[in-house]
Each structure stands twice: as structure tokens, then as C-alpha cells.
Amino acid sequence: RTRLKVGVVELAPFSEVLRVPGLIDFDQQRMARLSAPVTGRVTDISATVGQAVKPGDVLARLHSTELGHAQLAFLKARAQSQLQAENQERARLLFAADVIGKAELQRRENEYAIAAAEARGASDQLRVLGMSAGSIAQMSKNGEINSTLPIVSTLRGALVEFKVAPGQVVQPTDTLFTVADLSRVWAVADVPEQQA
């Protein structure tokens, strides 16, 4: 067979095949690592690995005494705010009737402003601990404390990992679930520097 080939000199594409180890990995910009927003004990897990999930789907529930204490503090602050609002309104009526002086009215207005700020702060704390605005409004309406908090997905995709079991005590620093959008993945190759 012929080892030599004669042809016209011309420009042509040229590439060298380089075989390196690699793997298929999740797109790091399309995944979410979910943790508990508050310290608590896992009471129920309602998801399995490989399950398709969307934002808002409940993956697990946990019971938290810390959340219960924060809810109680909110209800107390809200009740105090309502009381101070009534005191302020009464003081305005008395001031208008010239029964109390301006200093007394200002004192009651200041007490209401402080109580209202404390109620807003307690509400913000509940949101930090993972309660939705709707849940806070419902609790504010009926006055019932509920120490159970759902852990929900924040991403549409597949549940690719979970590191939690019923009865386990979890902290906000613990990653409980990993959800990834598998519609696009990464091919990661380990190319030596001198060959890159």
C-alpha cells in the first residue's frame, strides 16, 4: 500500500484528538441546596430522590421550638401595639377635650410608635425564620401558634440528593436537599495544564 500521497498545498482545518477523564455534572447555576431556616426536628419527609419538583413543593416538615417562641413574641408585640394604639387614640380625644396636656399626648404617641416598631420587628423575624406573609397574617388573625414549618423547593427540577432522616435535628447551616435542573448539564473534563 502507498504510504506517500502527493497533492496540492492548501489551508485545511487540523485538530488533534486528546482523550482525558471527565464526568457529567450539574449546571451550578441551575441548582439549589436547601436548608432549614430554623433549628428543628424533622417530623416528616414527603420527597424521594429523582422526584420532579417545582417551586413551593413541600419536601419535608420540621418542628421548631425556636419558631414557636418567635411566634409567641410576635403575638405579644402585636397585642401590645394594639393596646398602645387604643391608648394613643384615647389620649387624642382627651387632648381635644382639653383634659390632658400636650406632653401626655406625646408620651402616649411615643409609646405607640415603640410598640408598633417592636411588632414589625417580630414579624420580620418570623419571615427570616421561614414563615410566609400569608402564614403570619393567618396566625395574627386567629392567634394560634404553629411550630411546624415546611421545607419547600425553590427551583423547578429534580431532587437529586437529600441528607436528612425523620427525627433528625437540623440546623440552618445543614444542607438537607439538593434540587437541580437537568435540562442542561455540564461536561467537565480534567485537562492537564500543559495540554489545555
Side-chain angles (χ1 to χ4, degrees), residues 6 12 20-22 24 31 56 58 60 70 81-82 84 86 90 93 101 125 133 138 167 169 171 173 178-179 186 188:
V6 178
V20 295
I24 303 299
M31 65 183 303
V58 176
S81 177
Q82 289 175 337
Q84 294 301 337
E86 293 170 3
R90 190 177 306 112
L93 293 173
Q125 179 64 22
Q138 181 66 25
V169 175
Q171 308 285 334
T173 54
T178 303
V179 176
W186 286 356
V188 181

Side-chain angles (χ1 to χ4, degrees), residues 66-81 113-133 135-137 139-140:
E66 182 181 345
L67 178 62
H69 292 320
Q71 289 176 347
L72 180 60
F74 167 75
L75 291 176
K76 286 181 177 178
R78 184 177 169 276
Q80 184 65 22
S81 177
I114 292 171
E118 289 176 349
R120 285 192 301 272
S123 177
D124 290 343
Q125 179 64 22
L126 291 179
R127 279 193 287 274
V128 168
L129 295 179
M131 285 190 71
S132 67
S135 297
I136 295 172
M139 183 189 62
S140 181

Side-chain angles (χ1 to χ4, degrees), residues 39-184:
T39 300
R41 183 179 301 278
V42 176
T43 59
D44 176 53
I45 297 176
S46 53
T48 57
V49 171
Q51 175 182 335
V53 296
K54 62 184 183 302
D57 283 356
V58 176
L59 308 179
R61 297 183 187 280
L62 60 88
H63 179 268
S64 171
T65 55
E66 182 181 345
L67 178 62
H69 292 320
Q71 289 176 347
L72 180 60
F74 167 75
L75 291 176
K76 286 181 177 178
R78 184 177 169 276
Q80 184 65 22
S81 177
Q82 289 175 337
L83 176 63
Q84 294 301 337
E86 293 170 3
N87 286 344
Q88 175 189 253
E89 186 57 33
R90 190 177 306 112
R92 285 180 177 167
L93 293 173
L94 292 174
F95 177 74
D98 203 24
V99 175
I100 62 173
K102 182 72 171 175
E104 179 64 18
L105 173 61
Q106 289 175 337
R107 182 182 70 81
R108 293 191 186 180
E109 288 175 339
N110 186 52
E111 287 173 349
Y112 169 65
I114 292 171
E118 289 176 349
R120 285 192 301 272
S123 177
D124 290 343
Q125 179 64 22
L126 291 179
R127 279 193 287 274
V128 168
L129 295 179
M131 285 190 71
S132 67
S135 297
I136 295 172
Q138 181 66 25
M139 183 189 62
S140 181
K141 181 180 178 180
N142 60 28
E144 294 179 3
I145 291 175
N146 182 2
S147 301
T148 302
L149 186 70
I151 307 299
V152 299
S153 176
T154 58
L155 183 73
R156 180 179 297 276
L159 180 61
V160 295
E161 181 183 37
F162 73 81
K163 303 176 180 179
V164 66
Q168 180 179 341
V169 175
V170 295
Q171 308 285 334
T173 54
D174 300 335
T175 297
L176 308 182
F177 300 96
T178 303
V179 176
D181 178 359
L182 302 180
S183 63
R184 185 174 74 184

